[in-house]
Amino acid sequence: MVMAARRSYLSVSAPNSSTANANLLSIRGNYAGLVLILVGVLYNAILAIFVARGMQLGYSSVAAVEVLITFSCLALALSTGVSSRDIMPISLLWLIFALALIASISFDKIYIGSIRNFALIAVFAMLGQRMDIRFIRKAFFIASAMTLAVLVWEIASVESYASFFSPARYYELTRGTAVSEFDDSGLSVGTIVFEGRFSLGIFSGRRTSSIFLEQVSINSYAIVCMAFLSGMWGSLNRKEKLIQISTILLIIASNNARMGALMCLVMPIGYFLFPRLNRSLILAIPFVILGFIFSLSSYLQNAVGDDLTGRLGVTYRLLNRFNVVDLFAGNPLFVEKTFDSGYAFIIASIGLFGGLAYLLFLVYYPRYENKEQARASWSIAVYILAWLTVGGTATFSIKTAALLWSFIGCLSRSTEESRINERDRLIEHSLVRRRRPPLTS
């Protein structure tokens, strides 16, 4: 009777459970997803170690590794089937592919950079929505622990750090970044501190990079960690909170990160404010930013320099150079000139239609069913839309996108689905513990 009752219970709950769990990864699948996310964060540092020891690598080697990671994530995600939640990331990627094809034909230049950028968003979002949030937490904990450890090493002994990773040599071989003849530190050229550059006045040395090897991605990583803390604060244990806060603060202090310092002020306010706001308000943010820039046109048209005013001036001048065709279809020939202006970069690479599609995805792909989802999703949107005022490519870097979009994908499962998953996990764990060992003769 007991067995019959147990079978009855499982048979009644199975249809609902299978519907909810049809696209979730097994424990092994979650570990595979965890490894892929961490490899996305760390692979540049790993390749740099090989370069520092004499291996000759080029851009094709880096591209091959990134393609392998991307397709591995896609294969792992699709191994569980396709669900309705996949429609938005797949549709976004299809649209970007179509726009890239049209632009390539129109300008007689093959441009696949936008496909790569949005493929990272799509595949990591699809992977994340199939993963257990505990594994996403593990990914953030491991990535931040490694970032913090290497960051302390870099601050304590920048010479040994530079010798071990050889960032300048790595980026010269794989990105074509020229090494200054006046700088023999071995560090990325962007880490140089010059007069007039923003500084918190805490560290006077080179801008730090840690496992990211250059000064931009580590700043971006700190903000991604802030968004993670905003969404998961109530679920994290003391050790997780400590490692994230320590990593964020040391990055901002040693990197002299302007955007990171700004977000340190915005995110705590947003923690209380974001759950009260309608997500559709996010749609207005880029138009308010661009309207503000053009309202200051007389002041910004001649503004130069590596500060906020200079970057806004760059954005104003670049956007003024687009003609009607460029605005709607993009212009692959213009992309390389827009790396210091995210909004110009978006227009040049995917045009207005692609930019609007990205904005809609940013607003309506994440869920807002509870405060945690609202905080995380608003934080991500504010980070990306604010960053686009000063830079084009950092938010698309796999070093941060792997964690960012897998987190948003995972957190974007419905509250009811997550509750059912947790119930079934506890039931399965209980049944395994009750299972009797087989009889032996």
Side-chain angles (χ1 to χ4, degrees):
M1 291 179 64
V2 174
M3 290 301 296
R6 184 178 296 171
R7 289 196 188 103
S8 174
Y9 173 79
L10 291 175
S11 65
V12 170
S13 65
N16 293 332
S17 174
S18 63
T19 300
N21 294 335
N23 299 107
L24 298 183
L25 291 169
S26 64
I27 295 297
R28 288 184 178 179
N30 273 283
Y31 275 111
L34 171 64
V35 170
L36 286 172
I37 292 169
L38 291 175
V39 169
V41 176
L42 297 170
Y43 87 88
N44 276 284
I46 295 170
L47 293 181
I49 294 172
F50 292 136
V51 168
R53 276 137 194 82
M55 182 178 290
Q56 295 296 312
L57 297 176
Y59 174 78
S60 59
S61 303
V62 176
V65 172
E66 200 164 289
V67 168
L68 179 61
I69 295 171
T70 303
F71 276 98
S72 296
C73 288
L74 182 62
L76 182 58
L78 294 181
S79 68
T80 66
V82 179
S83 73
S84 59
R85 285 291 292 162
D86 296 321
I87 293 175
M88 287 190 71
I90 291 175
S91 298
L92 177 67
L93 185 55
W94 178 87
L95 175 63
I96 298 303
F97 180 85
L99 292 172
L101 181 62
I102 292 171
S104 297
I105 294 173
S106 301
F107 291 91
D108 195 26
K109 175 181 174 65
I110 297 177
Y111 178 65
I112 60 173
S114 58
I115 299 174
R116 171 265 181 200
N117 291 340
F118 287 91
L120 294 178
I121 294 174
V123 300
F124 280 107
M126 291 169 63
L127 178 63
Q129 70 192 28
R130 290 159 166 80
M131 291 182 66
D132 189 316
I133 191 64
R134 292 172 299 170
F135 286 85
I136 301 296
R137 287 168 57 179
K138 287 178 186 290
F140 270 92
F141 184 85
I142 295 170
S144 289
M146 296 186 70
T147 299
L148 183 60
V150 176
L151 190 56
V152 170
W153 172 23
E154 181 182 3
I155 294 170
S157 178
V158 67
E159 294 81 8
S160 62
Y161 165 85
S163 176
F164 187 78
F165 289 106
S166 191
R169 177 63 174 161
Y170 175 69
Y171 280 108
E172 180 186 25
L173 291 176
T174 61
R175 306 299 197 278
T177 305
V179 178
S180 173
E181 61 179 312
F182 303 106
D183 180 20
D184 59 356
S185 68
L187 298 172
S188 174
V189 66
T191 62
I192 295 175
V193 176
F194 51 86
E195 186 177 356
R197 207 309 175 167
F198 170 81
S199 173
L200 293 172
I202 300 174
F203 289 93
S204 59
R206 300 279 288 252
R207 298 179 65 192
T208 52
S209 305
S210 187
I211 59 173
F212 301 97
L213 307 182
E214 42 82 18
Q215 76 289 350
V216 176
S217 291
I218 190 173
N219 184 4
S220 178
Y221 177 75
I223 305 173
V224 170
C225 289
M226 293 180 211
F228 172 70
L229 279 179
S230 182
M232 297 299 298
W233 183 261
S235 302
L236 301 178
N237 59 43
R238 187 176 300 176
K239 183 169 63 174
E240 289 174 297
K241 291 176 181 178
L242 180 61
I243 198 73
Q244 296 300 335
I245 293 173
S246 300
T247 303
I248 291 168
L249 293 180
L250 190 56
I251 287 173
I252 293 172
S254 62
N255 181 260
N256 288 320
R258 291 171 295 194
M259 190 61 72
L262 175 63
M263 288 298 158
C264 258
L265 302 176
V266 172
M267 294 295 184
I269 298 172
Y271 182 85
F272 300 100
L273 182 62
F274 292 155
R276 303 173 183 272
L277 300 178
N278 188 303
R279 64 175 166 180
S280 295
L281 292 174
I282 297 172
L283 295 170
I285 293 177
F287 298 100
V288 171
I289 291 173
L290 293 176
F292 174 75
I293 290 173
F294 276 88
S295 70
L296 298 175
S297 58
S298 59
Y299 178 68
L300 295 176
Q301 60 184 348
N302 296 316
V304 295
D306 187 26
D307 54 19
L308 180 59
T309 303
R311 291 295 180 92
L312 294 181
V314 169
T315 296
Y316 172 76
R317 291 190 293 273
L318 287 173
L319 291 177
N320 264 340
R321 292 181 60 180
F322 290 119
N323 57 38
V324 175
V325 175
D326 296 338
L327 285 174
F328 286 95
N331 187 339
L333 303 177
F334 203 51
V335 169
E336 292 185 359
K337 301 176 182 179
T338 62
F339 291 156
D340 286 336
S341 170
Y343 287 103
F345 175 78
I346 291 290
I347 297 298
S349 58
I350 56 177
L352 275 178
F353 289 126
L356 288 173
Y358 181 33
L359 179 61
L360 291 172
F361 180 83
L362 197 61
V363 175
Y364 294 110
Y365 172 72
R367 291 187 189 270
Y368 290 76
E369 295 178 358
N370 55 50
K371 291 182 178 181
E372 290 73 21
Q373 291 175 339
R375 286 174 179 134
S377 301
W378 259 98
S379 297
I380 295 302
V382 168
Y383 150 59
I384 291 175
L385 296 175
W387 192 283
L388 290 178
T389 62
V390 296
T393 59
T395 59
F396 295 107
S397 171
I398 192 173
K399 289 179 281 189
T400 54
L403 283 164
L404 171 66
W405 289 105
S406 58
F407 169 55
I408 287 299
C410 184
L411 199 64
S412 292
R413 287 203 298 270
S414 69
T415 305
E416 177 65 17
E417 181 182 353
S418 298
R419 187 178 63 80
I420 292 174
N421 295 338
E422 181 63 16
R423 184 202 67 184
D424 290 349
R425 186 184 68 81
L426 292 174
I427 291 173
E428 181 182 0
H429 180 67
S430 177
L431 292 178
V432 169
R433 291 186 63 182
R434 293 180 187 178
R435 188 177 299 160
R436 295 181 178 178
L439 295 175
T440 56
S441 55

